[in-house]
Amino acid sequence: MRRVSLSQFLIEEQRAGRLDADLRLLVEVVARAVKAIAVTISKGKLWDVHGETGVENVQGEVQKKLDVIANELLLQANEWGGHLAAMASEEVEEICQIPFEYPRGGYLLLFDPLDGSSNIDVNISVGTIFSVLRNPDREAIPTEASFLQPGTAQAASGYAIYGPATQLVLTTGNGVHGFTLDREFGYFVYTHPFMTIPYQTSEFAINASNMRFWEPPVRRYIEELIAGKDGPRGRDFNMRWVASMVSDVHRTLSRGGIFLYPLDAKNRAQGGKLRLLYEANPMAFLVEQAGGAAIDGRRRILEIVPQRLHQRVPVILGSTEEVERVRAYHEAEDAS
Ligand code: P6P
């Protein structure tokens, strides 16, 4: 069968009027940066890119060398193209303006340059997550407030997963499409058209070591899954936890499942563990486009109006039947 490249896919999407030239260029540039990140990650100790920098980021996490490298690759790849008005990164406290010598475009790009980087030094899959918004005022220089838009406003979102294969998974609001990097030829091939999440699943992903901190609805839901066919669900379930959101969400998108990082007694003060603008929103957009659901326990994640750039949120996403059950348990708790 003739191979379709990412570039050809994007050209045909633009020809069909489903994305404009600037958004096409944006995705191409992100894909180019992702290829550079994939090569750098694959070198590991060979290029001495493992280990920590000793510097804390805005999240209070000690940055890995590859966190910094991936962040720089994405910023440098995107600053000169003329398609962006500004950028925001998990690794940088303030928004990143476009250098004055370059023209500004109409899009805002947000990203977690290397999600799950605690897995890097032990050679477990990690990823890059990105979200695209429109600059609300093309005449004004963007501020943090320009980025504080609900997830429903996203023009596109996606992630790269650096696993046995490097894959790019993308939505521009017309379904979810997957591409696999052919390293020898150096380009992404369209391999997964219209990815969909099965309505039902028998697989869940949660960090079970936090069980003692969970709220009652989550505790009830997980205990029922663990009870399996001896409990109210009447069938057995399987558990997976990679501790890399991109890996756990990619598995969920690929074969169904439910991923939970709920509000708990440990993360309640921060509002949750995962970040809304460049982790939860892009993943929620993809999951809904694939026929799944994404909530914070009670509300649709995409409808949350952000208050701060690095705001955190509880995340429960995946196969709709399971996500709706978790929502029902929260509503029953609220009504009791
Ligand atoms: P825990 C990685 O640090 C991350 O932000 C997500 O990629 C992942 O789902 C989660 O945190 C893992 O958290 O508490 O299990 O280490």
Side-chain angles (χ1 to χ4, degrees), residues 115-116 207 241 243-245 259 261 273-275 279:
D115 174 68
N207 180 340
W241 188 251
S244 155
M245 185 185 196
F259 168 90
Y261 213 111
K273 158 96 184 203
L274 303 176
R275 275 62 55 149
E279 290 178 330

Side-chain angles (χ1 to χ4, degrees), residues 61 90 112 115-119 129 207 209-210 241-246 248 259 261 266 273-275 279:
E61 298 158 346
E90 184 207 30
D112 179 358
D115 174 68
S117 54
S118 60
N119 287 320
I129 310 172
N207 180 340
S209 70
N210 294 323
W241 188 251
V242 182
S244 155
M245 185 185 196
V246 170
D248 285 313
F259 168 90
Y261 213 111
K266 200 165 64 167
K273 158 96 184 203
L274 303 176
R275 275 62 55 149
E279 290 178 330

Side-chain angles (χ1 to χ4, degrees), residues 4-312:
V4 173
S5 67
L6 171 65
S7 297
Q8 181 178 350
F9 171 84
L10 293 172
I11 285 278
E12 290 177 2
E13 287 294 289
Q14 182 180 335
R15 204 171 280 151
R18 289 191 285 265
L19 85 168
D20 64 28
D22 268 0
L23 186 53
R24 177 168 63 83
L25 172 62
L26 191 163
V27 175
E28 292 268 22
V29 169
V30 168
R32 203 154 46 239
V34 156
K35 281 190 282 189
I37 294 170
V39 168
T40 307
I41 282 177
S42 71
K43 298 300 181 185
K45 274 199 172 299
L46 297 173
W47 282 7
D48 188 29
V49 291
H50 275 179
E52 296 176 342
T53 62
V55 176
E56 261 194 18
N57 64 12
V58 63
Q59 317 294 341
E61 298 158 346
V62 177
Q63 288 181 312
K64 299 278 191 182
K65 290 179 188 172
L66 280 167
D67 285 324
V68 176
I69 293 167
N71 188 55
E72 284 306 311
L73 284 168
L74 279 160
L75 290 172
Q76 289 162 12
N78 279 286
E79 64 186 10
W80 50 266
H83 49 286
L84 290 181
M87 289 180 264
S89 167
E90 184 207 30
E91 297 298 335
V92 183
E93 182 156 11
E94 306 299 327
I95 67 170
C96 307
Q97 296 292 354
I98 299 301
F100 68 90
E101 63 265 33
Y102 300 127
R104 274 200 299 274
Y107 289 106
L108 301 172
L109 176 66
L110 305 91
F111 49 81
D112 179 358
L114 203 57
D115 174 68
S117 54
S118 60
N119 287 320
I120 277 278
D121 296 358
V122 292
N123 203 30
I124 290 174
S125 298
V126 292
T128 297
I129 310 172
F130 66 92
S131 170
V132 182
L133 295 168
R134 292 177 180 83
N135 182 18
D137 179 356
R138 291 204 63 149
E139 302 314 314
I141 293 179
T143 62
E144 177 169 320
S146 308
F147 288 81
L148 303 184
Q149 303 176 43
T152 47
Q154 291 175 99
S157 79
Y159 61 80
I161 178 168
Y162 309 108
T166 291
Q167 289 184 307
L168 184 71
V169 176
L170 168 73
T171 185
T172 58
N174 303 284
V176 177
H177 303 279
F179 305 82
T180 303
L181 179 61
D182 183 324
R183 287 178 185 275
E184 278 74 23
F185 288 91
Y187 66 86
F188 280 99
V189 180
Y190 188 25
T191 48
H192 297 73
F194 292 102
M195 295 173 75
T196 55
I197 298 183
Y199 179 76
Q200 291 187 317
T201 185
S202 297
E203 199 159 61
F204 67 101
I206 193 166
N207 180 340
S209 70
N210 294 323
M211 184 176 282
R212 66 188 185 283
F213 301 115
W214 293 341
E215 296 186 331
V218 171
R219 192 174 187 113
R220 170 189 173 192
Y221 175 70
I222 298 296
E223 285 175 348
E224 287 181 357
L225 299 185
I226 291 172
K229 61 180 181 299
D230 304 330
R233 300 301 304 269
R235 60 190 167 98
D236 287 341
F237 286 74
N238 191 19
M239 191 188 108
R240 288 282 182 276
W241 188 251
V242 182
S244 155
M245 185 185 196
V246 170
S247 305
D248 285 313
V249 172
H250 185 67
R251 185 192 57 250
T252 300
L253 261 173
S254 302
R255 67 185 189 207
I258 181 169
F259 168 90
L260 305 95
Y261 213 111
L263 194 70
D264 64 29
K266 200 165 64 167
N267 65 42
R268 167 177 293 283
Q270 295 175 301
K273 158 96 184 203
L274 303 176
R275 275 62 55 149
L276 174 60
L277 283 174
Y278 41 78
E279 290 178 330
N281 271 344
M283 292 308 200
F285 189 18
L286 287 161
V287 163
E288 288 198 3
Q289 281 287 309
I295 62 174
D296 67 354
R298 296 169 175 82
R299 297 174 298 173
R300 185 179 172 221
I301 283 176
L302 292 181
E303 291 177 353
I304 296 173
V305 178
Q307 304 302 314
R308 298 177 311 284
L309 189 63
H310 299 291
Q311 177 173 332
R312 295 172 188 260

